[in-house]
Amino acid sequence: MLKTSTTNVVPEKKVEAKNKTKFRLTANDKYYASIFAGPSLFLLGLFTFYPMFRTLYISMFLTNTFGNTTLFVGLENYVKLVTSPDFVSSMWVTLVYVVGVTFFTIAMGLLLANLASQKLPGIAIFRTLYSVTMGVSVSVAAIFWLFIFNPSAGFFTLLTKLLHLPTVNWLSNPTMAMWAIIITTVWMHLGFVFLVFLGAIESVPTTLYEAADVEGVSKHYQFFHITLPMISPTLFFISTITIIGSFKSFGLIDLITKGGPTNATNMLVYRIYNDAFFGGNYAKSSAEAIILTIIIAFFTYLQFKFLEKKVNY
Amino acid sequence: MINIDERKILKNLFSYILLIVLAVVILVPFFIGIWTSFLPTADILKGNYFSTNISLTNYLDAFTKTPILRYLGNTVVVSTLIMLAHLLFCSMSAYAFVFLDFKYKKFFFALFMVTMMLPGEAAIIPNFQTVKALGLLDHYSAMVVPALTSAFGTFMLRQAFLQTPKELKEAADIEGLNHFQIFWKVILPYNRISLITLGAYSFLGAWNSYLWPILVTFSNESRVIQNGLKQLQSEETFNNWGMIQASAAIIVIPTILVLFIGQHYFKSGLNEGAVK
């Protein structure tokens, strides 16, 4: 960095600059680093690391109703969880939800992005319309869909009546309640996923498609053998963030089904929340939180690894 | 030749039909929600969607009989504070990781990365106890203080700061600027697009957060809009669907307008990033 000194700089100044630079790169950096990185480190320590260790700690104790630890029990809370049919069914429900949401979000996102990547007059309007759910927050999505699923006046009830089909009571039927939550989640995420896929599809070199056209390859075949492999990094990225997001899902469940009917949509985070703040069982809730952490950490790690690999190429 | 043209037109027609059908499917919840927000609740409950009793009564009711404006105000304040805090603290820590040399730098950076793997949902019990001990419950600060910084934001800005041209840093060195000056006058202005992106991301994240605010707020004075709608829906207004739909519309219409206007800038921002 000191090579920048030029001949028209007077010697005194040069020395001064040299000293300053050297000074800054050694002793002073420590002082600056504590000012620059200190606040963030302190905050992350207090609100991310401390609670993680605290949760791990609580999960190995019995607790009273105030959340104070009373008796060390080791892994007993975990053993209790994995042997309790209630928790196992909750994990299954979460898994069904995660798989359902991820599958339908990606399938619908790809379908929309592929359609909207065609070069047709007026296609810009459709692109805007398809991305519209990006502006929808959890509570708005829940309200709109709660009304659609409403058993007496909802849109689906009206539709089934109109077609003389048997009416379905969406939110009191365990299977349909799960579908209701999946549909709402997919709808809410679709706008964002569509835009990301559209960007990826548009960046595929057109020469590939032109070559395929010359060969007389069908569009269907082109999609599966050109588009999909070319956008596979984006596909992986969207899959992992959708999986992570679905494992952490809470708001829609709280607003639409409250975990019901009969625990049919009682997923992991909803259980953590209920066991701690309504059940008063902090130890159980903490053990569940640690299980959630392990799952999320695993998928985030996968994503980091993949991104690293991509950068290296 | 004519045959090929006809086939092309037919294919396009099919594409348009599919495009329109899918657009309708996606937009139906909006249409129904916004349309019913103009109808009297009595008609909605009868399933009479084609009622002609259109009025703005539901909107007037929502504004005058519910604390929805208060909820919106609370959310704007909390989200703005979190956004500003992220911009400041994340850019500061990112600066330290890129431009400063200090002991255990790699270790501290690894800590930041690990933080990104830990879900906040799993930390609610100790964090609730911390916030309670600090006496912050049911205040804006209960939502703002734990969210003052973000590991993801730091990581994102670090990646951006790493791209800063060497010449810029060297010029600042020659000028004899100290780190505060370099940070404020050189690095932040140069990375303004990344800062805008992080700002938008943080604001939206705070705007949409649901679980943490529901734990730490109990009164309308501090309640945010995401929890407020649940409150409206569960309180006296239980079956007043017209007013609830109006409340949802009041929240969603501004965001969608911003999105439509912002999309143009968003796109050009993406392009700019690509050229770089």
Side-chain angles (χ1 to χ4, degrees), chain A residues 199-213:
Chain A
I201 289 178
E202 293 213 306
S203 66
V204 177
T206 46
T207 45
L208 291 177
Y209 297 109
E210 281 156 13
D213 277 338

Side-chain angles (χ1 to χ4, degrees), chain A residues 24 29 40 47 49 115 118 120-121 128 130-131 137 139 146-147 150 153-155 187 248 254 285 293 297, chain B residues 15-16 19 26 32 44 49 89 101 115 121-122 125 127 149 173 177 208 210 226 229-230 233 245 260 263:
Chain A
R24 202 185 300 138
D29 262 20
S40 282
F47 292 109
F49 279 106
L115 275 172
Q118 300 175 92
L120 293 171
T128 306
Y130 290 168
S131 60
S137 55
S139 60
L146 259 176
F147 181 69
N150 187 293
F155 178 69
W187 182 77
K248 299 202 284 189
D254 189 41
S285 171
T293 307
Chain B
S15 289
Y16 276 118
L19 280 164
I26 288 168
I32 295 174
I44 299 173
Y49 291 8
F89 291 130
D101 265 323
T115 309
E121 286 78 0
I125 298 170
N127 277 346
T149 192
D173 275 341
L177 299 181
N208 281 325
Y210 183 92
Q226 302 302 334
L229 277 182
K230 185 195 178 188
Q233 194 210 344
Q245 299 282 40
F260 280 174
Q263 206 173 38

Side-chain angles (χ1 to χ4, degrees), chain A residues 262-281:
Chain A
T262 58
N263 286 333
T265 57
N266 193 355
M267 290 169 217
L268 198 47
V269 176
Y270 200 67
R271 203 167 256 282
I272 294 171
Y273 163 79
N274 266 328
D275 284 342
F277 293 93
F278 292 95
N281 196 341

Side-chain angles (χ1 to χ4, degrees), chain A residues 137-140 143 250-252 254-255 258 273, chain B residues 67-68 71-72 74-75 78 138 143 206-220 222-235 251:
Chain A
S137 55
V138 179
S139 60
V140 171
I143 298 278
F250 175 83
L252 284 180
D254 189 41
L255 285 159
K258 302 206 174 10
Y273 163 79
Chain B
I68 188 169
Y71 295 158
L72 273 174
N74 293 342
T75 320
V78 168
D138 208 23
M143 292 173 275
W207 182 272
N208 281 325
S209 65
Y210 183 92
L211 174 57
W212 182 247
I214 217 171
L215 287 174
V216 295
T217 58
F218 324 110
S219 69
N220 288 339
S222 59
R223 190 169 280 130
V224 292
I225 194 71
Q226 302 302 334
N227 304 154
L229 277 182
K230 185 195 178 188
Q231 190 68 16
L232 293 187
Q233 194 210 344
S234 57
E235 261 179 9
I251 296 161

Side-chain angles (χ1 to χ4, degrees), chain A residues 28-304:
Chain A
N28 246 7
D29 262 20
K30 226 189 267 172
Y31 154 77
Y32 277 113
S34 58
I35 292 178
F36 275 99
S40 282
L41 269 172
F42 172 74
L43 288 163
L44 289 178
L46 184 60
F47 292 109
T48 308
F49 279 106
Y50 160 70
M52 229 53 250
F53 287 113
R54 178 81 189 150
T55 305
L56 187 65
Y57 179 80
I58 300 176
S59 76
M60 293 193 275
F61 280 84
L62 292 182
T63 50
N64 60 21
T65 43
F66 302 108
N68 300 322
T69 51
T70 52
L71 183 72
F72 180 79
V73 292
L75 293 176
E76 202 177 295
N77 288 320
Y78 294 92
V79 175
K80 259 193 248 165
L81 274 184
V82 293
T83 51
S84 111
D86 218 27
F87 180 77
V88 173
S89 102
S90 212
M91 284 306 291
W92 271 116
V93 166
T94 312
L95 208 63
V96 168
Y97 171 77
V98 169
V99 171
V101 167
T102 309
F103 175 78
F104 287 108
T105 305
I106 287 175
M108 282 295 290
L110 278 176
L111 174 67
L112 294 180
N114 199 38
L115 275 172
S117 67
Q118 300 175 92
K119 299 213 166 15
L120 293 171
I123 199 77
I125 299 166
F126 291 101
R127 291 180 178 186
T128 306
L129 292 179
Y130 290 168
S131 60
V132 88
T133 61
M134 244 176 87
V136 177
S137 55
V138 179
S139 60
V140 171
I143 298 278
F144 280 169
W145 282 94
L146 259 176
F147 181 69
I148 290 176
F149 295 130
N150 187 293
S152 56
F155 178 69
F156 281 157
T157 306
L158 242 65
L159 211 64
T160 44
K161 271 184 191 160
L162 206 70
L163 300 170
H164 299 286
L165 290 167
T167 50
V168 179
N169 198 340
W170 283 79
L171 300 180
S172 58
N173 173 318
T175 314
M176 297 318 272
M178 174 58 89
W179 277 111
I181 296 277
I182 291 177
I183 291 170
T184 312
T185 313
V186 170
W187 182 77
M188 203 172 81
H189 293 330
L190 203 51
F192 172 74
V193 171
F194 160 73
L195 275 186
V196 175
F197 278 148
L198 183 65
I201 289 178
E202 293 213 306
S203 66
V204 177
T206 46
T207 45
L208 291 177
Y209 297 109
E210 281 156 13
D213 277 338
V214 171
E215 297 281 325
V217 175
S218 78
K219 290 285 174 204
H220 186 256
Y221 192 88
Q222 287 182 24
F223 176 75
F224 284 100
H225 291 84
I226 299 174
T227 310
L228 274 192
M230 289 301 287
I231 66 163
S232 59
T234 310
L235 208 59
F236 182 81
F237 168 73
I238 290 291
S239 309
T240 46
I241 64 163
T242 310
I243 291 170
I244 291 169
S246 321
F247 267 113
K248 299 202 284 189
S249 197
F250 175 83
L252 284 180
I253 298 156
D254 189 41
L255 285 159
I256 296 180
T257 62
K258 302 206 174 10
T262 58
N263 286 333
T265 57
N266 193 355
M267 290 169 217
L268 198 47
V269 176
Y270 200 67
R271 203 167 256 282
I272 294 171
Y273 163 79
N274 266 328
D275 284 342
F277 293 93
F278 292 95
N281 196 341
Y282 293 94
K284 186 180 173 195
S285 171
S286 295
E288 288 161 351
I290 294 299
I291 292 174
L292 173 77
T293 307
I294 293 168
I295 295 170
I296 301 295
F298 171 73
F299 283 104
T300 318
Y301 179 77
L302 266 190
Q303 193 169 15
F304 284 169

